[in-house]
Amino acid sequence: MFSIGELSKRTEVKVPTIRYYEEMGLLSEPERTEGNQRRYDVAGLERLSFIKHARDLGFSIEAISELIELQGHPDRSCQAATDIAVSQLSDVRAKIKRLRALEKELVRISKGCDGEGVSQDCYVLASLADHELCRHEH
Amino acid sequence: MFSIGELSKRTEVKVPTIRYYEEMGLLSEPERTEGNQRRYDVAGLERLSFIKHARDLGFSIEAISELIELQGHPDRSCQAATDIAVSQLSDVRAKIKRLRALEKELVRISKGCDGEGVSQDCYVLASLADHELCRHEH
DNA sequence: TGTAGTGTCTCTAGTGACTAGAGGTTCAAG
DNA sequence: CTTGAACCTCTAGTCACTAGAGACACTACA
Ligand SMILES: [Zn+2]
Ligand SMILES: [Zn+2]
Ligand SMILES: [Zn+2]
Ligand SMILES: [Zn+2]
């Protein structure tokens, strides 16, 4: 049995975050000591590792809820799990696409000024004031 | 003179967002009609366009505040503006890097299951449970 | 001039996923 | 048995908005 602090160390999830996951229903309520402190078993550790891994991969709390729900029913179709993963992938790809456009624009903007001049003549400020100077969509 | 709704249409910034920018000090308080409604001039429109453009490029409200402050002092050095832009660029690059790692991992994970099986045998769920299956750092 | 309908006002609360702090209690080591 | 770290609950703050309530203002048309 682990205390919340031990669980935190083993999973690299901060203590308040663990309590937050419990409140959100991702973690089931663990046993308590007589003095009301949480005590976790291996199942709790595995559950939290799952959540941590999914969060690291960018899945939302809501998506993780669904995945955990599915995990609890071994005989159910896993179509929903694949759907969630595919949708997460397309989210990530959309974000990358958008950030790449921003990157190009920011390269142009920051190359345009070395910081040696004054505000009035600054290419950075001029570029922000006028989207027409932009080469890409964003 | 524009009403807040007209300003909203011209800049594609939603009305409550305009009020929020005012509250945050990005927009100076505009004139008011006798009935207390906001009325903007061209300067207000340009200011809001600047903010919109900077937000679209991912600059934080705080960064935009500094840029606007700088814009108000045409004779001051623009070093800070370049610094802000460069730092924004490196933020964007860091995000892209992270997302690319996630993308690779998510491709592997979602390719691993066609959704035809059951939860118990699902590669998506197995992958989330076990980071050892991952090919990349994240 | 009356009125209908849309726009605007302020204020409060909610979003997601935590994070920080206050004020109090429990645990484990020595 | 004492000390000090860890734990408890609860509230509020983060960022950049977004939604809604209830009241007031403006505009166009009859
Ligand atoms: Zn400059
Ligand atoms: Zn632009
Ligand atoms: Zn599957
Ligand atoms: Zn992994």
Side-chain angles (χ1 to χ4, degrees), chain A residues 53 57, chain B residues 105 108 130-131 134 136 138:
Chain A
H53 196 205
L57 287 163
Chain B
E105 219 54 67
R108 172 186 63 80
D130 186 8
H131 179 48
C134 287
H136 313 88
H138 49 224

Side-chain angles (χ1 to χ4, degrees), chain A residues 23-115:
Chain A
E23 201 180 62
M24 293 298 102
L26 292 190
L27 288 173
S28 44
E29 296 188 10
E31 289 178 40
R32 301 272 183 150
T33 62
E34 292 203 354
N36 199 35
Q37 299 195 355
R38 292 169 180 81
R39 287 297 177 269
Y40 296 89
D41 56 15
V42 175
L45 175 65
E46 284 171 359
R47 170 74 71 89
L48 183 56
S49 304
F50 181 96
I51 296 167
K52 167 79 156 67
H53 196 205
R55 285 293 303 131
D56 284 349
L57 287 163
F59 289 87
S60 71
I61 296 282
E62 203 194 333
I64 296 171
S65 272
E66 291 178 51
L67 292 167
I68 286 174
E69 166 74 7
L70 211 54
Q71 230 183 4
H73 298 271
D75 52 335
R76 212 178 274 178
S77 158
C78 73
Q79 185 66 58
T82 322
D83 289 351
I84 288 170
V86 167
S87 138
Q88 174 61 17
L89 175 57
S90 77
D91 275 15
V92 166
R93 284 184 164 152
K95 278 185 187 145
I96 290 173
K97 197 175 167 191
R98 167 136 197 287
L99 287 171
R100 283 234 268 255
L102 298 195
E103 185 195 10
K104 280 181 201 151
E105 219 54 67
L106 286 167
V107 165
R108 172 187 62 78
I109 289 172
S110 48
K111 270 193 183 159
C113 177
D114 56 10

